[in-house]
Amino acid sequence: MNYRHIKKYLCLALAGVMIIGTAVRETALTADAQEIQSRDLLETDNTLKDPVITMHNLTLQAGDTAYLTDNPSGKDMDFYTGGSTMSDAYIEYNFIDVVQVSSILMIGWWPKDQGIREMSVTYWEAGEWKSALVRTELPWKTVSGNGSSAESPHGELLSVQLPKAVETTKLRIHIHSTYYAWGKMNMRLIAPQGKVVRNIRGLYDEIEKAKSYLDGVLLGGNPGEFPQEAADALSQ
């Protein structure tokens, strides 16, 4: 088999991978997709890593949004806009992967002076936001003080369980009110807990690799050349 034939077969194989990958991606991301039948649970219950995090009607004054889900040193996150009532304030987590969320793990430092007081949770499903947890007052045990312990030296550890685990790619934690003794909201962890159900992020990575491969492939309609139409479809 000469080089031209080998290149032709490689191009055909790549085209097949692209077609399958596109079909899988569209199935996973379609709003009205059917319930996933076969699940490969890739992780045990823990913090869902590396989401894309955005905030609405909240301004981070100190710290980093990365601390919301990964803060082993207990660094402060100070938020502007807090108080007894808050208007449409929420933190949105975009996991990209399909995940199953069962709880929210939180750490509050002096939680009854500057922590979240009331929150609710919504998740994205079938093209709309649905309720995962109704407005709830958090049961902080610390009456006064910072709430630290041997188990959690950076503040009081609180796990907020959802009534039912939800599958989604996006989650919002709505903050309805906070304790506001010092004119700010402070938290040291607000981390959705659960499992990766379907690894869409990995599929995107493979598609990016395929795009990079195309940069070095001869495009055209001749034998042994990668079809221009397929390359255009991959780039969309």
Side-chain angles (χ1 to χ4, degrees):
M1 183 178 293
N2 59 33
Y3 173 77
R4 178 177 292 180
H5 288 147
I6 292 173
K7 189 173 182 180
K8 178 179 179 180
Y9 290 134
L10 285 174
C11 291
L12 289 173
L14 180 59
V17 170
M18 288 162 30
I19 292 170
I20 294 171
T22 301
V24 172
R25 179 180 61 178
E26 290 177 352
T27 299
L29 299 181
T30 298
D32 58 354
Q34 295 180 350
E35 182 178 359
I36 298 169
Q37 298 293 319
S38 176
R39 300 176 182 175
D40 181 15
L41 299 180
L42 303 178
E43 301 177 2
T44 55
D45 280 348
N46 61 2
T47 297
L48 295 162
K49 301 294 185 182
D50 301 322
V52 177
I53 297 173
T54 55
M55 296 186 296
H56 187 259
N57 284 345
L58 284 171
T59 301
L60 191 62
Q61 292 180 306
D64 192 292
T65 55
Y67 300 162
L68 287 165
T69 58
D70 186 15
N71 193 12
S73 300
K75 296 179 180 178
D76 281 318
M77 290 178 288
D78 291 338
F79 299 85
Y80 176 72
T81 304
S84 59
T85 59
M86 299 176 67
S87 176
D88 197 26
Y90 61 80
I91 303 169
E92 182 173 321
Y93 302 76
N94 186 339
F95 302 104
I96 302 176
D97 295 323
V98 179
V99 300
Q100 182 185 82
V101 183
S102 56
S103 63
I104 311 297
L105 188 64
M106 314 178 85
I107 294 178
W109 182 249
W110 298 80
K112 285 204 170 182
D113 288 300
Q114 59 180 356
I116 296 174
R117 182 170 186 169
E118 294 176 293
M119 60 172 271
S120 62
V121 179
T122 58
Y123 67 104
W124 184 253
E125 183 184 64
E128 63 178 333
W129 291 98
K130 298 183 178 181
S131 176
L133 178 71
V134 299
R135 184 168 177 167
T136 301
E137 183 169 350
L138 299 185
W140 297 109
K141 295 180 180 179
T142 303
V143 176
S144 63
N146 58 40
S148 61
S149 63
E151 177 190 14
S152 180
H154 304 303
E156 182 178 337
L157 187 67
L158 176 64
S159 179
V160 180
Q161 298 292 319
L162 302 183
K164 181 181 178 181
V166 297
E167 286 186 10
T168 189
T169 57
K170 294 186 289 187
L171 191 83
R172 286 178 178 175
I173 296 177
H174 301 260
I175 302 170
H176 300 286
S177 66
T178 73
Y179 295 98
Y180 206 59
W182 300 314
K184 63 180 180 180
M185 180 184 92
N186 176 285
M187 293 292 294
R188 292 189 169 182
L189 196 73
I190 311 174
Q193 306 289 292
K195 306 171 184 178
V196 175
V197 173
R198 179 164 292 179
N199 189 342
I200 305 300
R201 192 189 302 262
L203 177 58
Y204 285 157
D205 291 342
E206 292 304 315
I207 291 173
E208 289 302 319
K209 291 178 183 177
K211 287 181 180 179
S212 297
Y213 173 78
L214 279 178
D215 291 339
V217 173
L218 184 62
L219 301 178
N222 298 318
E225 295 178 341
F226 194 85
Q228 182 66 53
E229 295 81 1
D232 293 341
L234 182 61
S235 298
Q236 294 178 357

